[in-house]
Amino acid sequence: MASRSIDTRYFESSEDQMINLLDQIKDWQINHGFLLKLMPSEEDHSVLSYPVGVSVFPTPFPRTQFNCAIDLQKIYNELYCAIAEDENWLYSVTKVLIPVEPLARALWGIYEETKKAGIVQNISAGIFRSDYMLHLNDNDESVSVSPRTIFECSLKQVEFNAFSCAGGSHANRVADMHRYLTRIGEYDLGQEQRGKEKIDVKSLPPNNNIGGIASCLASAHAVYGSPKSRSAQQTAVLFIVQPNNFNIADERPIEYALWDRDEPVPAYRLNWGDILRDTSLTDSRQLLFHPPWMKSKSPVEISVVYMRAGYETHEYDVTGCQARLQLEKSTAIKCPSVLSHISTFKKVQQALTAPGAVERFLSAEKAAAVRATFVPVYPLDESPAGLHARKLATDPKESARFILKPSLEGGGHNIYGAEIPDFLSSVPHPEWSSYILMERIIPPIMQNVLMGPAGVYEGEVVSELGIFGSALWQKSTDSERRCEVLENSTAGWSFKTKYSEIDEMSVVKGYGCFDTPRLMED
């Protein structure tokens, strides 16, 4: 974060009031595990961590657009459930990636091997997150606005995530934190005496990501039922995680919530690199987990595989491909399946903007609601649209209006504006087709104080709203329908804020901060 001084006059607070507020936030983070684990610790027995970046004040956001995003999530869930079961369409829009994108090649190879072996589980689970920003209509660049001007903005989708959707637990905590600070009067800051509108706790929406995500996994676990293998005594959800995970405070609460249910759902964690060592398939392809600490006991039959690892290209070496194939071939319900994983590629987001694409999966009314959130997105292949996009992307002036995105997850991969031409000049032309060109969303600029590991600074900020959804669906045997949606829910939301001059939003990588929308009435 760039260094800034705090102008306490803007927030109508004295220096002492601000210091007290910051102390309250620090205490909240420590007491609620709102932290990132420092890896590696100097000593095995030590617990070293640092706080997650947060906004000091909740940021204004229009209630109507927040509610619109909430209402849209079930439609988006339905859309991506259908896409994950339309192998032909999904292949037609992503096959261009196979020669140039190793991750796409690995995932399609795993799917083909699974098909050859015979798919033994036709039920899938999905934990999704659709991200949006407010867009200033008819404006060429971001401008500072008053809270009232945000009502002139439309809601535009940044991206849709279908794999390892992070931030749910952190977003839960920041909502609770801001609501607590409001209740105890920390945000009054002398505003009443100056005739300013106080922050009302009713303007800060509650959040239930942890419970919502855990409920989806519990439902899938219940659908799977009792053990099918004679050697297993119980079934459990298996979290596939990255080793040396600094973001465990986002993952673990979901695991704990499963164990804390009235009827506990057993949940275990397994590092990506240990899948082949600690799991096996029975002849009828039940996935058995052999916890190293339970060597003398029966194996655990896995009901649901919840993927929080396996989205990085480097994870798919020969061993990684074999490990993912073992999971995919099993009778366990996958969250997500390989096809659902492929649906999160940016190439799919681009393909959906084409005429008739969304309408292939949704009714006209639902498709129109989804399309209203789209911004122009172009392929960068050798189609007429792709050739047009290549001209835009290589033009130093035109490229300023766009973002270049690869089909990769994890943040930090995008190329912005004027940097696009030079970047593309370093990429072989055949690889250009692995990217999409997305028109930039022009968000309103607000004012806030952000607090992160680098310090506490005031500045102009922009925000991003994410809505978490969950679904459970079954592949349909009816040729007229692609899938039957068994459960379709909105789990909760996330709200992230960054300084306006920073392009990336990832909080755990230090770009943005978790925030709470202060819902404003028009």
Side-chain angles (χ1 to χ4, degrees):
M1 293 182 183
S3 177
R4 293 173 177 79
S5 61
I6 300 178
D7 183 359
T8 57
R9 293 172 300 170
Y10 180 86
F11 294 101
E12 315 248 350
S13 62
S14 68
E15 184 176 352
D16 287 344
Q17 286 172 316
M18 181 63 76
I19 290 172
N20 183 66
L21 173 56
L22 299 181
D23 283 343
Q24 290 276 8
I25 291 174
K26 293 173 187 175
D27 288 352
W28 175 275
Q29 291 184 292
I30 291 170
N31 280 279
H32 291 82
F34 200 176
L35 306 165
L36 297 174
K37 189 175 182 180
L38 188 60
M39 302 296 297
S41 296
E42 293 181 3
E43 300 178 9
D44 290 343
H45 64 271
S46 63
V47 180
L48 301 179
S49 59
Y50 57 94
V52 177
V54 295
S55 68
V56 173
F57 299 87
T59 302
F61 196 88
R63 185 181 293 273
T64 52
Q65 298 292 17
F66 179 85
N67 290 339
C68 177
I70 292 289
D71 292 342
L72 276 170
Q73 190 58 41
K74 288 186 179 180
I75 300 176
Y76 265 110
N77 291 349
E78 181 183 342
L79 171 62
Y80 275 80
C81 291
I83 289 173
E85 297 302 335
D86 194 335
E87 175 192 342
N88 293 335
W89 184 85
L90 198 53
Y91 181 75
S92 72
V93 301
T94 61
K95 63 182 179 182
V96 67
L97 299 175
I98 295 175
V100 294
E101 176 50 65
L103 181 58
R105 186 161 57 249
L107 293 180
W108 274 113
I110 290 165
Y111 177 71
E112 291 299 330
E113 287 297 315
T114 304
K115 273 211 315 181
K116 288 180 185 177
I119 295 174
V120 294
Q121 180 55 266
N122 63 357
I123 295 176
S124 298
I127 293 170
F128 306 129
R129 195 189 71 235
S130 186
D131 294 333
Y132 306 92
M133 296 182 83
L134 294 178
H135 178 65
L136 284 163
N137 300 321
D138 302 321
N139 279 277
D140 292 331
E141 57 184 29
S142 294
V143 294
S144 297
V145 298
S146 70
R148 303 302 308 170
T149 314
I150 57 177
F151 299 110
E152 301 172 9
C153 295
S154 55
L155 190 72
K156 296 299 180 182
Q157 188 184 58
V158 177
E159 63 183 7
F160 190 89
N161 303 274
F163 191 94
S164 188
C165 299
S169 299
H170 293 318
N172 225 137
R173 290 195 187 92
V174 77
D176 293 342
M177 182 191 79
H178 282 138
R179 286 166 63 84
Y180 163 76
L181 294 171
T182 301
R183 285 192 175 102
I184 66 173
E186 283 294 329
Y187 291 138
D188 293 353
L189 300 178
Q191 293 196 28
E192 194 170 30
Q193 292 86 343
R194 296 177 173 86
K196 300 292 185 180
E197 181 183 1
K198 292 170 62 176
I199 297 176
D200 187 342
V201 71
K202 293 179 181 178
S203 70
L204 306 181
N207 207 351
N208 189 36
N209 285 326
I210 296 171
I213 293 170
S215 290
C216 175
L217 297 174
S219 291
H221 174 78
V223 167
Y224 184 88
S226 57
K228 281 73 176 172
S229 170
R230 293 181 179 179
S231 61
Q233 300 298 315
Q234 67 166 328
T235 56
V237 176
L238 186 64
F239 286 53
I240 302 298
V241 301
Q242 293 179 326
N244 301 319
N245 195 330
F246 64 89
N247 200 25
I248 59 165
D250 191 57
E251 292 178 5
R252 286 283 194 178
I254 301 167
E255 177 187 346
Y256 300 151
L258 288 169
W259 282 104
D260 286 343
R261 294 174 71 88
D262 290 339
E263 293 188 16
V265 175
Y268 299 101
R269 294 166 66 85
L270 178 62
N271 285 339
W272 172 263
D274 297 332
I275 293 172
L276 294 178
R277 186 194 71 185
D278 293 336
T279 70
S280 63
L281 291 179
T282 67
D283 291 342
S284 50
R285 284 200 260 160
Q286 283 82 40
L287 181 66
L288 300 183
F289 175 47
H290 308 270
W293 63 91
M294 296 169 59
K295 287 186 181 297
S296 62
K297 295 186 178 181
S298 302
V300 177
E301 184 172 329
I302 299 305
S303 57
V304 183
V305 173
Y306 177 37
M307 304 293 296
R308 292 296 295 254
Y311 54 82
E312 299 279 7
T313 301
H314 71 81
E315 292 173 300
Y316 287 90
D317 55 12
V318 173
T319 301
C321 287
Q322 291 175 343
R324 185 69 187 273
L325 178 61
Q326 178 146 301
L327 301 178
E328 197 69 15
K329 286 168 62 177
S330 75
T331 60
I333 295 172
K334 272 68 72 175
C335 183
S337 67
V338 165
L339 287 186
S340 189
H341 186 174
I342 293 170
S343 77
T344 203
F345 283 178
K346 303 300 183 294
K347 189 67 180 173
V348 173
Q349 182 182 6
Q350 175 265 308
L352 287 172
T353 65
V358 179
E359 291 76 8
R360 177 184 177 93
F361 304 103
L362 297 175
S363 68
E365 182 180 2
K366 290 179 178 178
V370 165
R371 282 196 176 279
T373 68
F374 289 172
V375 297
V377 187
Y378 304 96
L380 218 65
D381 54 24
E382 295 184 355
S383 66
L387 294 176
H388 171 67
R390 290 185 177 195
K391 289 182 180 180
L392 295 173
T394 54
D395 185 310
K397 184 177 180 181
E398 292 287 349
S399 63
R401 300 189 293 115
F402 295 94
I403 303 172
L404 189 70
K405 294 186 174 185
S407 287
L408 298 173
E409 297 301 316
H413 301 294
N414 298 338
I415 309 298
Y416 294 84
E419 298 176 355
I420 295 174
D422 285 345
F423 174 80
L424 285 176
S425 68
S426 69
V427 177
H429 276 225
E431 295 180 16
W432 285 21
S433 58
S434 64
Y435 294 86
I436 58 102
L437 192 69
M438 180 177 180
E439 193 168 290
R440 296 190 77 152
I441 297 169
I442 310 300
I445 294 177
M446 307 301 290
Q447 194 86 4
N448 208 334
V449 177
L450 304 184
M451 178 177 173
V456 183
Y457 307 110
E458 177 193 337
E460 295 182 332
V461 301
V462 296
S463 300
E464 178 181 290
L465 173 67
I467 307 298
F468 281 88
S470 62
L472 193 63
W473 70 93
Q474 182 171 344
K475 185 175 181 63
S476 178
T477 56
D478 185 349
S479 59
E480 297 292 319
R481 301 169 61 193
R482 293 176 180 84
C483 68
E484 177 185 357
V485 179
L486 307 175
E487 289 192 13
N488 186 353
S489 301
T490 300
W493 52 266
S494 72
F495 194 66
K496 293 178 284 190
T497 295
K498 64 182 180 182
Y499 290 119
S500 59
E501 72 270 20
I502 296 175
D503 288 319
E504 293 286 351
M505 183 60 90
S506 173
V507 177
V508 297
K509 293 189 176 182
Y511 299 116
C513 292
F514 282 103
D515 193 356
T516 301
R518 181 187 177 189
L519 301 183
M520 310 291 287
E521 306 287 351
D522 189 353

